[in-house]
Amino acid sequence: MTRYYEDLTVGDTYDTGGYTVSKEEIVEFAEQFDPQPFHVDEAAAEESMFGELVASGLHTLCLSVRLFVTDFVQGGEGVANMGGLGMDDLRWHEPVRPGDTLRVRAEVVEKTPSESRSDRGYVEFHRTVHVDGAEVMSITSHNIVRRAEAEE
Amino acid sequence: MTRYYEDLTVGDTYDTGGYTVSKEEIVEFAEQFDPQPFHVDEAAAEESMFGELVASGLHTLCLSVRLFVTDFVQGGEGVANMGGLGMDDLRWHEPVRPGDTLRVRAEVVEKTPSESRSDRGYVEFHRTVHVDGAEVMSITSHNIVRRAEAEE
C-alpha cells in the first residue's frame, strides 16, 4: 500500500506526531555540529540575543526531517521516496527550547514528472514545524518519488 | 581580534580544513535523523538509485555547518556571529560516501545593515562543500553578525 508519485495530490497535508527535545539532546547535538556558545553553554546563552539556551536551528531541521521520515515516509502506508534534490526557503521563526514538543505538517505544493526518467517524479513539500501551535520553522523540500507505473 | 560585521567584505572567501566521514558515523546519523534504507542498510542501498550506502544529505549539511563553525566562526580571528535567520538554495549535487573528506568554502555575497537594530547586520554567505575538488553540496546562509560599533 505504499504511496507512489501518482498517489500524492497537490494540496494534501500530512501531520506527524510530536517529538519532545531535552536540554541534554540540544547540547549534545550542538557540540557535534554547531558548537556556538548559545547552544552549548547556559551561562553564555543568557548573554546572547536569545537570553537562554536554545536549540541549534540545524537541530530543529534535523528533528523535523526525522518526524517527516518516521511518521510520513515510513509511517502508515509509506511513501516511495527515492531521495532528495535539495531544499529551499529554510527560515527559523522562533527558537526551540528544552522541553519543547515539535510537530511537522507537510503539504504537497507541486508535482513534476521527470522528463528524462519515466520511473520517477519530483514532489515539492512545504513543511512547517510547530511548537504549541506556533510555527517555529518552515522549509520547502524537493523529493524524488517513484512512480507506480513507469511510462515507456 | 574577532571579525565584526564591518570586517567582512563582499567577495571574501574562506576555506575550512577537511573532515573525513566514516561509514559508522553515516549510519549512526541516519538512524537518528533520516533512517531511510539507503542511508542505514548496505544491502538496501545497493538496490536504491544510489547503488551503495550514501550519507544523508542532511548529514552532509550538518558536517558542513560544523566545519563553518569550528574553522571559520570560531577559528582564527573568529566571527561575531549572533545567530541565523535561515538558509536558501540547498542542493545536493553528488552523494557523499564513507571515507570521503569534506571541505567547505564560504564566500561573503551580500551585507545588509539591520534597519531596526544598530548593533547588528545581516551577512549572506554562499557555502559550497567539496570532496576531492568536486562540489557535492551548495547552500546560501543568512547570518546575523554583531557590529563593532553600534550607530546611535
Side-chain angles (χ1 to χ4, degrees):
Chain A
M1 283 297 290
T2 303
R3 280 170 291 199
Y4 292 92
Y5 176 80
E6 295 88 333
D7 303 316
L8 299 171
T9 304
V10 171
D12 281 354
T13 59
Y14 304 89
D15 290 295
T16 71
Y19 183 86
T20 304
V21 63
S22 70
K23 183 165 72 182
E24 291 67 30
E25 282 174 279
I26 286 174
V27 172
E28 190 189 352
F29 179 93
E31 283 174 343
Q32 211 177 344
F33 297 116
D34 188 4
Q36 298 190 83
F38 32 89
H39 300 316
V40 297
D41 179 335
E42 287 196 284
E46 286 176 16
E47 303 299 314
S48 76
M49 71 173 187
F50 301 108
E52 62 185 315
L53 189 81
V54 297
S56 165
L58 192 64
H59 195 188
T60 305
L61 173 63
C62 285
L63 292 171
S64 78
V65 170
R66 173 199 188 117
L67 285 166
F68 183 82
V69 169
T70 59
D71 288 18
F72 175 54
V73 175
Q74 300 180 337
E77 303 162 52
V79 177
N81 186 53
M82 298 171 73
L85 294 173
M87 295 183 161
D88 283 311
D89 304 324
L90 169 59
R91 289 295 177 277
W92 296 295
H93 308 295
E94 298 290 339
V96 168
R97 300 173 177 85
D100 281 352
T101 300
L102 283 64
R103 295 173 196 280
V104 176
R105 167 164 286 197
E107 179 180 354
V108 178
V109 289
E110 198 173 316
K111 289 176 61 180
T112 314
S114 169
E115 289 183 5
S116 56
R117 300 181 191 217
S118 63
D119 66 341
R120 65 193 67 176
Y122 305 110
V123 180
E124 195 175 306
F125 291 97
H126 183 63
R127 313 185 194 179
T128 50
V129 183
H130 304 263
V131 172
D132 293 332
E135 192 174 308
V136 299
M137 198 202 92
S138 53
I139 195 167
T140 300
S141 70
H142 304 279
N143 289 68
I144 308 168
V145 180
R146 190 179 298 283
R147 297 179 73 108
E149 293 188 33
E151 294 164 351
E152 72 281 6
Chain B
M1 282 298 289
T2 303
R3 279 169 292 198
Y4 292 92
Y5 176 77
E6 295 89 334
D7 304 316
L8 300 170
T9 304
V10 170
D12 281 354
T13 59
Y14 304 90
D15 290 295
T16 71
Y19 183 86
T20 304
V21 64
S22 70
K23 183 165 73 182
E24 291 67 30
E25 282 173 278
I26 286 174
V27 171
E28 190 188 351
F29 180 94
E31 282 175 344
Q32 210 176 345
F33 296 117
D34 189 4
Q36 300 189 82
F38 32 89
H39 300 315
V40 297
D41 180 335
E42 286 196 284
E46 287 175 16
E47 303 298 314
S48 77
M49 71 172 186
F50 302 107
E52 61 187 315
L53 189 81
V54 297
S56 165
L58 191 64
H59 194 188
T60 305
L61 172 63
C62 286
L63 293 172
S64 78
V65 171
R66 171 199 188 119
L67 285 166
F68 182 83
V69 169
T70 59
D71 288 18
F72 175 55
V73 175
Q74 299 179 338
E77 303 161 52
V79 177
N81 186 53
M82 298 172 73
L85 294 172
M87 295 183 161
D88 282 311
D89 304 323
L90 170 58
R91 290 294 178 275
W92 296 295
H93 308 294
E94 297 291 338
V96 168
R97 300 175 176 83
D100 281 352
T101 300
L102 283 64
R103 294 173 196 281
V104 176
R105 167 165 285 197
E107 179 180 354
V108 178
V109 290
E110 199 173 315
K111 289 176 62 180
T112 314
S114 168
E115 289 183 7
S116 56
R117 299 181 193 217
S118 62
D119 66 341
R120 66 193 67 177
Y122 305 110
V123 180
E124 197 175 305
F125 291 96
H126 183 62
R127 311 185 194 178
T128 50
V129 183
H130 303 265
V131 172
D132 293 332
E135 192 174 308
V136 299
M137 197 201 93
S138 54
I139 194 167
T140 300
S141 70
H142 304 281
N143 290 68
I144 309 169
V145 180
R146 191 179 297 283
R147 296 179 74 109
E149 293 188 32
E151 294 165 351
E152 73 280 7

